[in-house]
Amino acid sequence: LFGGTSFDGPMRSGARLTAGFWFTPQEDRGIEASWFGLAITKKSFNLSTTGGNPYLARPYIDANTGQPAAVVIPKPGLQPSTNPTLLDQTADAALRSQFGSVDVLYRYNTTKGEDFHRRYWAGGFRYLMLEDQLAVNLSSSVSNGATSFDTYTASDSFRTLNQFYGGEFGMIEKWWRDRWSLQVLGKVALGATTVSTRINGVTTATTSAGITSTFPGGVLAQPTNPGNERSLFAAAGEFGVTADYAIWSQFRLSVGYSLIYWTTVGRVTDQIDPSVNPQQFGGGTITSGPLEPSFNLWTTGFLAQGINAGLEYQF
Protein backbone atom coordinates (compact mmCIF):
# COMPACT_ATOMS: atom_id res chain seq x y z
CA LEU A 1 0.00 0.00 0.00
CA PHE A 2 2.75 2.46 0.95
CA GLY A 3 5.96 1.71 -0.89
CA GLY A 4 5.33 -1.99 -1.39
CA THR A 5 4.13 -2.83 2.12
CA SER A 6 0.77 -4.31 3.10
CA PHE A 7 -1.73 -3.33 5.75
CA ASP A 8 -2.83 -6.31 7.82
CA GLY A 9 -4.33 -4.47 10.75
CA PRO A 10 -2.55 -4.81 14.10
CA MET A 11 -4.12 -6.29 17.21
CA ARG A 12 -6.19 -3.60 18.93
CA SER A 13 -8.33 -3.16 21.99
CA GLY A 14 -12.10 -2.89 22.10
CA ALA A 15 -15.11 -3.19 24.35
CA ARG A 16 -18.18 -5.42 24.58
CA LEU A 17 -21.35 -4.70 26.55
CA THR A 18 -24.14 -7.26 26.98
CA ALA A 19 -27.42 -6.82 28.86
CA GLY A 20 -30.18 -9.38 29.21
CA PHE A 21 -33.36 -10.37 31.03
CA TRP A 22 -34.67 -13.80 32.06
CA PHE A 23 -38.43 -14.26 31.84
CA THR A 24 -38.42 -17.12 34.37
CA PRO A 25 -36.46 -17.71 37.62
CA GLN A 26 -35.23 -21.00 36.13
CA GLU A 27 -33.58 -19.04 33.27
CA ASP A 28 -35.40 -21.06 30.63
CA ARG A 29 -36.36 -18.13 28.40
CA GLY A 30 -34.56 -14.85 28.04
CA ILE A 31 -33.54 -12.00 25.81
CA GLU A 32 -30.19 -10.24 25.47
CA ALA A 33 -28.68 -7.39 23.50
CA SER A 34 -24.96 -7.10 22.82
CA TRP A 35 -22.73 -4.39 21.35
CA PHE A 36 -19.02 -4.41 20.69
CA GLY A 37 -16.63 -2.08 18.93
CA LEU A 38 -12.91 -2.04 18.21
CA ALA A 39 -10.66 0.98 18.47
CA ILE A 40 -9.93 2.72 15.16
CA THR A 41 -6.70 1.45 13.63
CA LYS A 42 -4.53 3.84 11.61
CA LYS A 43 -1.49 3.77 9.36
CA SER A 44 0.23 6.77 7.79
CA PHE A 45 3.02 7.62 5.37
CA ASN A 46 4.87 10.89 4.76
CA LEU A 47 7.75 11.90 2.54
CA SER A 48 9.17 15.27 1.51
CA THR A 49 11.97 16.63 -0.66
CA THR A 50 13.37 20.01 -1.67
CA GLY A 51 14.72 21.42 -4.90
CA GLY A 52 13.40 18.53 -6.98
CA ASN A 53 16.22 16.25 -5.84
CA PRO A 54 14.85 13.66 -6.12
CA TYR A 55 11.40 14.03 -7.67
CA LEU A 56 8.43 12.61 -5.78
CA ALA A 57 5.91 10.94 -8.07
CA ARG A 58 2.57 9.15 -7.86
CA PRO A 59 2.56 5.89 -9.86
CA TYR A 60 -0.26 4.85 -12.19
CA ILE A 61 -0.86 2.76 -15.32
CA ASP A 62 -1.26 4.81 -18.49
CA ALA A 63 -4.63 3.66 -19.85
CA ASN A 64 -3.59 4.56 -23.39
CA THR A 65 -0.48 2.37 -23.48
CA GLY A 66 -1.02 -0.09 -20.62
CA GLN A 67 2.46 0.73 -19.34
CA PRO A 68 3.55 1.93 -15.86
CA ALA A 69 3.88 5.70 -15.57
CA ALA A 70 4.13 8.37 -12.88
CA VAL A 71 2.99 11.93 -12.36
CA VAL A 72 5.27 14.40 -10.60
CA ILE A 73 3.02 17.44 -10.81
CA PRO A 74 -0.67 16.84 -11.49
CA LYS A 75 -0.90 19.55 -14.14
CA PRO A 76 -0.64 18.93 -17.89
CA GLY A 77 2.67 20.08 -19.39
CA LEU A 78 4.61 20.09 -16.13
CA GLN A 79 6.39 16.73 -16.16
CA PRO A 80 10.08 16.03 -15.45
CA SER A 81 10.88 16.16 -19.19
CA THR A 82 10.18 19.91 -19.17
CA ASN A 83 12.76 20.35 -16.36
CA PRO A 84 10.68 22.47 -13.98
CA THR A 85 12.46 23.97 -11.00
CA LEU A 86 10.80 22.36 -7.98
CA LEU A 87 11.13 24.26 -4.73
CA ASP A 88 9.69 21.46 -2.59
CA GLN A 89 7.39 18.47 -2.65
CA THR A 90 5.43 16.50 -0.05
CA ALA A 91 3.56 13.21 -0.32
CA ASP A 92 1.42 11.84 2.47
CA ALA A 93 -1.14 9.09 2.88
CA ALA A 94 -3.32 7.90 5.75
CA LEU A 95 -5.44 4.77 6.15
CA ARG A 96 -7.94 4.10 8.94
CA SER A 97 -10.36 1.26 9.66
CA GLN A 98 -13.02 0.49 12.26
CA PHE A 99 -15.27 -2.48 13.01
CA GLY A 100 -18.32 -2.98 15.24
CA SER A 101 -21.41 -5.11 15.81
CA VAL A 102 -24.84 -5.16 17.45
CA ASP A 103 -27.07 -8.21 17.96
CA VAL A 104 -30.31 -9.00 19.79
CA LEU A 105 -31.09 -12.62 20.72
CA TYR A 106 -33.94 -14.62 22.21
CA ARG A 107 -32.82 -17.72 24.15
CA TYR A 108 -34.91 -20.84 24.78
CA ASN A 109 -33.75 -23.71 27.01
CA THR A 110 -34.27 -27.19 25.49
CA THR A 111 -32.81 -29.19 28.43
CA LYS A 112 -35.47 -28.93 31.11
CA GLY A 113 -34.65 -30.65 34.41
CA GLU A 114 -30.86 -30.71 34.06
CA ASP A 115 -28.92 -28.95 36.83
CA PHE A 116 -25.42 -28.77 35.35
CA HIS A 117 -26.04 -28.39 31.63
CA ARG A 118 -28.19 -26.13 29.48
CA ARG A 119 -28.70 -26.07 25.72
CA TYR A 120 -30.27 -22.90 24.37
CA TRP A 121 -31.61 -22.34 20.90
CA ALA A 122 -31.14 -18.70 19.97
CA GLY A 123 -32.52 -16.45 17.27
CA GLY A 124 -32.63 -12.74 16.57
CA PHE A 125 -31.09 -9.86 14.61
CA ARG A 126 -27.48 -9.08 13.68
CA TYR A 127 -25.82 -5.86 12.51
CA LEU A 128 -22.16 -5.53 11.46
CA MET A 129 -20.23 -2.44 10.36
CA LEU A 130 -16.81 -2.17 8.72
CA GLU A 131 -15.48 1.18 7.48
CA ASP A 132 -12.21 1.89 5.64
CA GLN A 133 -10.87 5.30 4.64
CA LEU A 134 -7.79 6.16 2.58
CA ALA A 135 -6.50 9.66 1.74
CA VAL A 136 -3.46 10.40 -0.45
CA ASN A 137 -2.02 13.86 -1.19
CA LEU A 138 0.81 15.03 -3.45
CA SER A 139 1.90 18.68 -3.33
CA SER A 140 4.51 20.29 -5.61
CA SER A 141 5.81 23.86 -5.63
CA VAL A 142 7.16 25.05 -8.99
CA SER A 143 9.37 28.07 -9.58
CA ASN A 144 7.58 30.81 -11.49
CA GLY A 145 10.42 33.27 -11.54
CA ALA A 146 13.29 34.37 -9.37
CA THR A 147 11.29 34.74 -6.16
CA SER A 148 7.77 33.49 -6.96
CA PHE A 149 6.30 30.01 -7.30
CA ASP A 150 3.03 28.18 -7.94
CA THR A 151 1.80 25.26 -5.83
CA TYR A 152 -0.22 22.30 -7.11
CA THR A 153 -1.84 19.75 -4.80
CA ALA A 154 -3.61 16.58 -5.92
CA SER A 155 -5.77 14.87 -3.29
CA ASP A 156 -7.42 11.44 -3.54
CA SER A 157 -10.01 10.22 -1.05
CA PHE A 158 -11.42 6.67 -0.96
CA ARG A 159 -14.02 5.35 1.51
CA THR A 160 -15.97 2.10 1.85
CA LEU A 161 -18.74 1.59 4.41
CA ASN A 162 -20.03 -1.98 4.81
CA GLN A 163 -23.24 -2.57 6.77
CA PHE A 164 -24.75 -6.02 7.29
CA TYR A 165 -28.36 -6.59 8.34
CA GLY A 166 -29.64 -10.11 8.85
CA GLY A 167 -31.59 -12.65 10.83
CA GLU A 168 -29.48 -14.74 13.20
CA PHE A 169 -29.93 -18.21 14.65
CA GLY A 170 -27.71 -20.60 16.55
CA MET A 171 -27.12 -22.73 19.64
CA ILE A 172 -25.52 -22.05 23.02
CA GLU A 173 -24.25 -24.84 25.29
CA LYS A 174 -23.38 -24.15 28.90
CA TRP A 175 -22.00 -26.44 31.64
CA TRP A 176 -21.52 -25.79 35.37
CA ARG A 177 -19.17 -27.42 37.92
CA ASP A 178 -18.83 -25.91 41.40
CA ARG A 179 -17.93 -22.24 40.83
CA TRP A 180 -16.84 -22.78 37.22
CA SER A 181 -18.87 -22.70 34.02
CA LEU A 182 -18.06 -23.16 30.34
CA GLN A 183 -20.09 -21.75 27.47
CA VAL A 184 -19.76 -22.59 23.76
CA LEU A 185 -21.80 -20.77 21.14
CA GLY A 186 -22.23 -20.97 17.40
CA LYS A 187 -24.37 -18.54 15.41
CA VAL A 188 -25.06 -17.81 11.75
CA ALA A 189 -26.75 -14.74 10.32
CA LEU A 190 -28.17 -14.50 6.79
CA GLY A 191 -28.99 -11.19 5.18
CA ALA A 192 -27.50 -8.47 3.01
CA THR A 193 -24.40 -6.30 3.01
CA THR A 194 -24.76 -2.74 1.76
CA VAL A 195 -21.43 -1.54 0.38
CA SER A 196 -21.20 2.23 -0.03
CA THR A 197 -18.10 3.37 -1.92
CA ARG A 198 -17.21 7.04 -2.22
CA ILE A 199 -14.26 8.17 -4.34
CA ASN A 200 -13.38 11.87 -4.59
CA GLY A 201 -10.43 13.67 -6.10
CA VAL A 202 -9.50 17.34 -6.37
CA THR A 203 -6.53 19.32 -7.68
CA THR A 204 -5.79 22.74 -6.17
CA ALA A 205 -3.60 25.32 -7.88
CA THR A 206 -2.34 28.36 -5.98
CA THR A 207 -0.45 31.05 -7.86
CA SER A 208 2.32 33.24 -6.52
CA ALA A 209 -0.27 36.02 -6.29
CA GLY A 210 -2.31 33.94 -3.86
CA ILE A 211 -5.13 33.06 -6.28
CA THR A 212 -6.44 29.52 -5.69
CA SER A 213 -8.35 27.44 -8.22
CA THR A 214 -9.77 23.94 -7.81
CA PHE A 215 -10.29 21.29 -10.47
CA PRO A 216 -12.06 17.91 -10.34
CA GLY A 217 -9.87 14.82 -10.07
CA GLY A 218 -6.65 14.01 -8.28
CA VAL A 219 -4.46 11.15 -9.52
CA LEU A 220 -6.29 7.83 -9.03
CA ALA A 221 -9.59 9.48 -8.04
CA GLN A 222 -11.16 11.04 -11.12
CA PRO A 223 -14.70 11.94 -12.30
CA THR A 224 -14.81 8.61 -14.17
CA ASN A 225 -14.76 6.48 -10.97
CA PRO A 226 -17.00 8.13 -8.34
CA GLY A 227 -18.07 4.86 -6.67
CA ASN A 228 -21.61 3.69 -5.92
CA GLU A 229 -23.78 1.80 -3.44
CA ARG A 230 -24.78 -1.85 -3.79
CA SER A 231 -26.57 -4.43 -1.67
CA LEU A 232 -25.39 -8.04 -1.87
CA PHE A 233 -26.46 -11.28 -0.21
CA ALA A 234 -24.12 -12.14 2.65
CA ALA A 235 -23.71 -14.36 5.69
CA ALA A 236 -21.95 -13.83 8.99
CA GLY A 237 -20.96 -16.51 11.45
CA GLU A 238 -19.70 -16.32 15.03
CA PHE A 239 -18.04 -18.94 17.22
CA GLY A 240 -17.13 -18.37 20.85
CA VAL A 241 -15.85 -20.15 23.95
CA THR A 242 -16.07 -18.55 27.39
CA ALA A 243 -15.03 -19.84 30.81
CA ASP A 244 -16.07 -17.99 33.95
CA TYR A 245 -15.61 -18.24 37.70
CA ALA A 246 -18.11 -17.17 40.33
CA ILE A 247 -16.56 -14.89 42.95
CA TRP A 248 -19.96 -15.07 44.62
CA SER A 249 -23.41 -16.05 43.35
CA GLN A 250 -24.08 -12.80 41.49
CA PHE A 251 -20.59 -11.79 40.33
CA ARG A 252 -18.49 -13.71 37.81
CA LEU A 253 -15.14 -13.23 36.08
CA SER A 254 -14.72 -14.57 32.54
CA VAL A 255 -12.16 -15.12 29.81
CA GLY A 256 -12.81 -16.41 26.31
CA TYR A 257 -12.15 -16.51 22.59
CA SER A 258 -14.40 -15.33 19.78
CA LEU A 259 -14.26 -15.48 15.99
CA ILE A 260 -16.44 -13.70 13.43
CA TYR A 261 -16.39 -14.38 9.70
CA TRP A 262 -18.25 -12.08 7.27
CA THR A 263 -18.55 -13.45 3.74
CA THR A 264 -19.01 -10.27 1.68
CA VAL A 265 -17.35 -6.90 2.28
CA GLY A 266 -15.71 -4.25 0.11
CA ARG A 267 -12.27 -3.14 1.31
CA VAL A 268 -11.11 0.31 0.31
CA THR A 269 -7.82 -0.60 -1.40
CA ASP A 270 -9.57 -3.18 -3.58
CA GLN A 271 -11.69 -0.41 -5.14
CA ILE A 272 -8.72 1.58 -6.52
CA ASP A 273 -8.20 1.33 -10.27
CA PRO A 274 -4.54 2.22 -11.06
CA SER A 275 -5.27 2.65 -14.78
CA VAL A 276 -5.67 6.36 -15.61
CA ASN A 277 -6.09 8.34 -18.79
CA PRO A 278 -3.57 11.14 -18.07
CA GLN A 279 -5.62 13.70 -19.99
CA GLN A 280 -7.64 14.12 -16.78
CA PHE A 281 -4.71 15.33 -14.67
CA GLY A 282 -5.03 18.90 -13.50
CA GLY A 283 -8.76 19.03 -14.21
CA GLY A 284 -8.43 18.09 -17.89
CA THR A 285 -11.11 16.29 -19.89
CA ILE A 286 -10.80 13.12 -21.95
CA THR A 287 -10.87 13.81 -25.68
CA SER A 288 -9.55 10.41 -26.79
CA GLY A 289 -8.71 7.08 -25.28
CA PRO A 290 -10.45 5.02 -22.60
CA LEU A 291 -12.55 6.43 -19.78
CA GLU A 292 -10.20 5.35 -17.02
CA PRO A 293 -10.04 4.94 -14.08
CA SER A 294 -13.33 3.09 -13.83
CA PHE A 295 -15.17 1.66 -10.84
CA ASN A 296 -16.07 -2.01 -10.42
CA LEU A 297 -16.94 -3.23 -6.95
CA TRP A 298 -14.62 -5.96 -5.65
CA THR A 299 -15.65 -7.92 -2.55
CA THR A 300 -13.86 -10.31 -0.24
CA GLY A 301 -14.35 -12.05 3.09
CA PHE A 302 -13.49 -10.53 6.47
CA LEU A 303 -12.26 -12.41 9.54
CA ALA A 304 -11.95 -10.99 13.04
CA GLN A 305 -10.88 -12.94 16.11
CA GLY A 306 -10.07 -11.91 19.62
CA ILE A 307 -9.55 -12.74 23.27
CA ASN A 308 -12.14 -11.48 25.73
CA ALA A 309 -11.87 -10.74 29.44
CA GLY A 310 -14.95 -9.59 31.29
CA LEU A 311 -17.12 -9.16 34.35
CA GLU A 312 -20.74 -10.29 34.77
CA TYR A 313 -23.21 -9.14 37.40
CA GLN A 314 -26.66 -10.71 37.84
CA PHE A 315 -29.45 -9.16 39.89
Side-chain angles (χ1 to χ4, degrees), residues 78-147:
L78 287 176
Q79 298 299 316
S81 59
T82 63
N83 297 316
T85 302
L86 298 180
L87 299 184
D88 61 76
Q89 285 184 287
T90 60
D92 61 83
L95 177 70
R96 52 181 286 164
S97 179
Q98 59 179 328
F99 176 58
S101 170
V102 173
D103 69 334
V104 179
L105 284 178
Y106 176 81
R107 291 193 184 195
Y108 179 76
N109 178 26
T110 63
T111 53
K112 305 291 179 65
E114 294 191 30
D115 294 331
F116 303 107
H117 170 243
R118 294 282 177 92
R119 174 177 296 147
Y120 294 98
W121 289 107
F125 168 79
R126 187 68 183 252
Y127 169 80
L128 294 168
M129 184 278 296
L130 174 66
E131 182 184 29
D132 294 333
Q133 295 184 51
L134 172 65
V136 186
N137 302 296
L138 174 64
S139 181
S140 302
S141 295
V142 184
S143 176
N144 193 29
T147 59

Side-chain angles (χ1 to χ4, degrees), residues 256-267:
Y257 168 82
S258 62
L259 179 148
I260 294 177
Y261 180 71
W262 187 354
T263 61
T264 309
V265 298
R267 305 308 303 270

